[in-house]
Amino acid sequence: ICQNGAETNEVKIMSLSFGARTTMRIGPNFSRQLPFASGNLRAFQTLSTPKTSSSDSSKNKSSHATPDIFGQWRMTNAIQSVPTVHFSSLSAIAANLSSSTSHSHLNSKQTTRSMTGSAPETHRDGKPTVDYVKKMPKTFASMSNEQILHFAELEIPEACRECIVRDVMAVDNVEYDEAMNVFEKIAKTNREGMTAAAAPFYLGFGIAVTAGIASIPLVFHLPTVDWFNENFVTSELPPKEDLETCLEVGAASWGWMEPVLGHISFFLLCMHFSRAQLQNLGIRPYFNWQKERRSRRLIEKYPKYDAEFLANYSKCDRLAELHEMGD
């Protein structure tokens, strides 16, 4: 607790109750005022004073005057007044702090014993107990708020729904079933205009599938090749004896189909490469735009509920169809 310096009579006192260490210098007389702040002792800094000479000590002792042994105290925080506690000797300081330490240690042990005794056993031999697994939540409604928030950040639709339901319960002061009815209205509002937002994706999907299937007869099917040649190409075909198999038909049609298919392939290759770079940059122009637009509309429609919960649910909803959620 206390340690005397060799030349400056420095005494270091560890105050366990305040959780800080303060250093002060004392002279021959032990009857001093020890400053204690109502907060942390780090709020003060001490300026050391030179060691008192023997002549000065005797003079102070005879006159019963108390020298300024602490130097000047500087306040680093805005603390205006500091109460003082008087100790008659250095041994009283050490005894007081030692008693405080022993009481703190005893209280810590008692707290540890009480916590250990009251904690239920969750695992035995590295395996969960039956009582512990019976408490496992099996639905999102039975999960804690912290678990729901964690899964909502992972954009799990059921967790985003649960966040909105609990927010409705807190704002409207209603029970779970009534809040679920409000959520159904919110989900229906979020689906408005979803088909129009998904139209470009449906269109791109339809064009790609149609072009891929149509390319096969345009290259290998003789009647289709002949029709396409008469209407769009007007090229001379080989004699019929050279068009008896689908491979011979393909060789004949490849003269005008190669530029079209080759250029489309190169175009799609470039588009795919540019899309990959946009993904590396975290950019999805149209997809992100329509999600942000939908979430803003939902927040404006229900302003009294949490905007982040509404936005998370709106963004995790599917364009194609409403997500079938579990309990």
Side-chain angles (χ1 to χ4, degrees), residues 54-313:
S54 58
S55 60
D56 294 338
S57 299
S58 60
K59 183 183 298 184
N60 291 335
K61 184 175 182 181
S62 60
S63 62
H64 300 286
T66 303
D68 184 12
I69 60 169
F70 294 117
Q72 180 184 359
W73 287 85
R74 294 182 302 177
M75 307 177 90
T76 58
N77 291 334
I79 301 177
Q80 301 299 327
S81 61
V82 179
T84 59
V85 180
H86 295 270
F87 294 91
S88 60
S89 64
L90 183 61
S91 59
I93 299 175
N96 182 276
L97 293 177
S98 177
S99 175
S100 176
T101 303
S102 61
H103 285 302
S104 300
H105 187 60
L106 179 60
N107 293 335
S108 177
K109 283 187 175 181
Q110 292 176 351
T111 303
T112 303
R113 290 197 199 98
S114 62
M115 292 176 63
T116 305
S118 62
E121 185 180 13
T122 59
H123 289 73
R124 188 183 300 113
D125 298 330
K127 301 175 183 178
T129 61
V130 176
D131 294 336
Y132 177 69
V133 299
K134 286 182 179 179
K135 300 177 182 179
M136 181 180 67
K138 297 181 180 179
T139 61
F140 283 90
S142 61
M143 291 183 181
S144 65
N145 292 334
E146 291 76 12
Q147 292 172 324
I148 292 299
L149 290 174
H150 172 74
F151 288 122
E153 289 299 322
L154 299 178
E155 297 183 356
I156 297 178
E158 289 81 359
C160 296
R161 174 202 62 186
E162 194 66 26
C163 285
I164 296 179
V165 172
R166 298 188 185 192
D167 187 48
V168 172
M169 293 175 64
V171 173
D172 296 344
N173 196 24
V174 296
E175 295 299 329
Y176 188 89
D177 293 336
E178 297 180 30
M180 184 62 72
N181 294 332
V182 176
F183 168 78
E184 295 297 336
K185 297 178 181 179
I186 295 175
K188 185 177 180 180
T189 302
N190 189 60
R191 298 296 305 175
E192 294 177 358
M194 195 76 79
T195 303
F201 299 102
Y202 284 119
L203 180 63
F205 171 77
I207 292 175
V209 171
T210 302
I213 295 175
S215 64
I216 298 176
L218 287 173
V219 175
F220 300 106
H221 187 244
L222 182 58
T224 306
V225 170
D226 191 21
W227 171 84
F228 188 83
N229 181 44
E230 290 180 0
N231 291 276
F232 300 100
V233 182
T234 65
S235 178
E236 184 178 355
L237 290 174
K240 291 186 177 181
E241 57 269 17
D242 294 334
L243 299 174
E244 294 177 352
T245 65
C246 61
L247 296 179
E248 291 178 337
V249 174
S253 63
W254 196 246
W256 63 79
M257 293 300 296
E258 181 181 14
V260 177
L261 298 180
H263 179 73
I264 292 176
S265 299
F266 179 75
F267 176 78
L268 294 177
L269 178 64
C270 294
M271 293 297 101
H272 181 73
F273 179 78
S274 62
R275 179 177 180 270
Q277 304 315 307
L278 289 178
Q279 288 180 336
N280 292 336
L281 296 173
I283 300 174
R284 297 184 67 181
Y286 175 75
F287 186 75
N288 290 337
W289 172 80
Q290 59 88 21
K291 287 203 304 183
E292 292 291 339
R293 175 175 171 271
R294 188 169 64 249
S295 63
R296 286 196 302 268
R297 187 187 68 226
L298 192 64
I299 293 172
E300 292 173 359
K301 187 71 177 292
Y302 299 93
K304 66 177 180 178
Y305 301 127
D306 190 271
E308 185 176 359
F309 292 161
L310 294 173
N312 288 341
Y313 170 75

